[in-house]
């Protein structure tokens, strides 16, 4: 209810949010961090990537959910999505109906990219 009932937006400091999330992680191999964002960073790109690398490097899962809407067609920062995907963080949009399945896949440590592809959800790909 909280996720679907809150209207957020503007002036996003994603690196700051990830820093806070990382401080809450006590068991990294059991942690799933789902970043719901268009990835337009209001702060420094380097700080965002540093925090993402640190979270992933700890053993926690990081998933970038670009939109959670019925259309599933978000406007987002393609460069940041590709950079996160390159670090191993799946980046894609999904519908509210698919969100519980996404959580189940993440908790079971399933292949998020394969799960998304099987549902026709386009994922960002990392720069090679």
């Amino acid at each position: 209810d909280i996720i679907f009932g809150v209207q957020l937006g503007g002036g996003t400091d994603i690196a700051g949010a990830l820093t806070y999330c990382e401080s809450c992680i006590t068991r990294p191999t059991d942690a799933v961090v789902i970043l719901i964002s268009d990835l337009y960073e209001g702060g420094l790109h380097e700080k965002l990537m540093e925090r993402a690398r640190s979270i992933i490097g700890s053993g926690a899962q990081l998933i970038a959910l670009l939109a959670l809407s019925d259309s599933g067609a978000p406007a987002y920062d393609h460069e940041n999505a590709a950079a996160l995907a390159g670090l191993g963080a799946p980046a894609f949009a999904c519908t509210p109906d698919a969100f519980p399945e996404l959580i189940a896949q993440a908790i079971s440590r399933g292949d998020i990219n394969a799960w998304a592809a099987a549902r026709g959800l386009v994922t960002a790909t990392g720069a090679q």
Side-chain angles (χ1 to χ4, degrees):
D1 287 342
I2 292 171
I3 291 173
F4 297 114
V6 175
Q7 180 65 36
L8 302 172
T12 307
D13 178 2
I14 302 168
L18 290 179
T19 298
Y20 171 76
C21 290
E22 187 175 24
S23 75
C24 295
I25 297 172
T26 57
R27 295 185 337 219
T29 57
D30 293 332
V32 178
V33 177
I34 299 178
L35 171 64
I36 303 174
S37 173
D38 58 14
L39 300 179
Y40 289 108
E41 175 61 283
L44 295 174
H45 169 80
E46 297 80 18
K47 294 277 188 196
L48 166 59
M49 293 302 120
E50 178 183 310
R51 292 283 45 92
R53 270 191 296 279
S54 180
I55 290 170
I56 294 167
S58 76
Q61 289 185 82
L62 175 61
I63 300 167
L65 193 54
L66 305 172
L68 192 57
S69 68
D70 290 328
S71 70
Y76 63 94
D77 186 312
H78 292 262
E79 181 181 319
N80 281 338
L84 287 172
L87 294 176
F92 61 95
C94 81
T95 64
D97 290 342
F99 189 66
E101 285 183 51
L102 165 64
I103 299 299
Q105 277 295 309
I107 290 170
S108 68
R109 294 282 181 166
D111 184 334
I112 301 296
N113 286 318
W115 173 86
R119 281 146 191 80
L121 304 172
V122 177
T123 59
T125 57
Q128 300 297 328

